[in-house]
Amino acid sequence: AQRVTQPEKLLSVFKGAPVELKCNYSYSGSPELFWYVQYSRQRLQLLLRHISRESIKGFTADLNKGETSFHLKKPFAQEEDSAMYYCALSKETSGSRLTFGEGTQLTVNP
Amino acid sequence: EAEVAQSPRYKITEKSQAVAFWCDPISGHATLYWYRQILGQGPELLVQFQDESVVDDSQLPKDRFSAERLKGVDSTLKIQPAELGDSAMYLCASSLLDLEAFFGQGTRLTVV
């Protein structure tokens, strides 16, 4: 069975500092990886996904199959980045369910 | 912008009572998901529909939970009887085949 682990429940950084949210996964096949974000009082929404290889709001994530990781990074954190971040895995390329990690609450202090 | 609609937003019910949640996905989205999110945890899939058919309900506690999507559009999730451990956020999501799941605001259930 697949599993997603986010080792940090809470992460606090200062504005302008680099930030890295860790995500490790276990799955024997070739997964698709995602980062979802939930801002205060808003619904859960997709931030970025591995297959798009995009940078969204300055965030990037690289899939490292050797280390089975998909860490989310941003070189200069902003206060508006404060939110709950969830790493998620899908087994297939189309229409498959997401397995979520437990989430990391990021706080960016002024 | 089209959004997934859920109702009610909040529900308080007594243990052993029946409770139901409703979800209206984004128009044209064939895939619909119900997730449960316990406080402090990530969402966990309860059931996945493709049009009106269930494609994954392996994590649905079928002795008390049921879900339907009769016309392949909106969906209802029911719990009967509710237990204290069912207190959670119930999230509905929908997607096309491009994988991005769009989530609703959720229904927060409290069982007392």
Side-chain angles (χ1 to χ4, degrees):
Chain A
Q2 63 272 24
R3 184 180 174 87
V4 177
T5 303
Q6 294 179 250
E8 303 142 326
K9 279 199 174 293
L10 302 171
L11 184 60
S12 182
V13 300
F14 286 102
K15 177 183 172 181
V19 62
E20 180 180 55
L21 290 83
K22 291 183 169 50
C23 172
N24 292 91
Y25 67 90
S26 62
Y27 178 59
S28 57
S30 294
E32 296 296 337
L33 276 299
F34 307 80
W35 278 97
Y36 277 79
V37 61
Q38 188 166 26
Y39 301 101
S40 179
R41 286 191 279 281
Q42 294 188 26
R43 60 188 69 199
L44 195 60
Q45 59 186 284
L46 179 67
L47 178 63
L48 57 81
R49 49 185 163 174
H50 160 241
I51 56 175
S52 298
R53 301 186 185 279
E54 296 173 305
S55 173
I56 305 295
K57 299 185 178 182
F59 284 97
T60 59
D62 291 319
L63 178 61
N64 185 323
K65 292 186 178 181
E67 295 183 357
T68 59
S69 67
F70 188 58
H71 303 329
L72 183 69
K73 300 177 183 179
K74 185 169 183 177
F76 307 103
Q78 302 301 314
E79 290 180 67
E80 55 265 30
D81 296 329
S82 296
M84 178 68 85
Y85 291 80
Y86 294 96
C87 182
L89 174 155
S90 174
K91 292 193 293 183
E92 300 167 6
T93 56
S94 176
S96 181
R97 66 185 232 185
L98 293 167
T99 298
F100 285 88
E102 294 194 343
T104 298
Q105 177 68 50
L106 173 65
T107 301
V108 181
N109 300 297
Chain B
E1 183 178 319
E3 294 182 333
V4 176
Q6 289 188 247
S7 67
R9 288 290 306 279
Y10 305 92
K11 180 70 178 178
I12 300 175
T13 191
E14 293 184 345
K15 186 174 62 171
S16 80
Q17 295 298 304
V19 63
F21 316 128
W22 176 80
C23 172
D24 190 12
I26 293 173
S27 178
H29 282 194
T31 308
L32 184 147
Y33 312 83
W34 283 101
Y35 285 85
R36 177 171 60 183
Q37 186 174 20
I38 296 169
L39 191 63
Q41 300 182 20
E44 291 182 304
L45 183 77
L46 290 175
V47 61
Q48 177 183 346
F49 289 91
Q50 185 67 29
D51 297 310
E52 67 276 8
S53 301
V54 173
V55 297
D56 186 348
D57 63 356
S58 56
Q59 301 302 309
L60 188 71
K62 298 181 189 60
D63 57 334
R64 298 185 299 107
F65 286 65
S66 64
E68 59 183 17
R69 195 184 182 196
L70 293 177
K71 297 183 180 178
V73 182
D74 59 336
S75 176
T76 302
L77 178 69
K78 297 179 181 177
I79 308 174
Q80 181 173 19
E83 296 181 353
L84 295 177
D86 297 331
S87 294
M89 178 73 83
Y90 289 83
L91 296 169
C92 179
S94 69
S95 71
L96 290 170
L97 294 179
D98 65 352
L99 276 184
E100 179 174 358
F102 292 85
F103 284 81
Q105 292 272 41
T107 296
R108 181 169 296 282
L109 173 67
T110 302
V111 182
V112 297

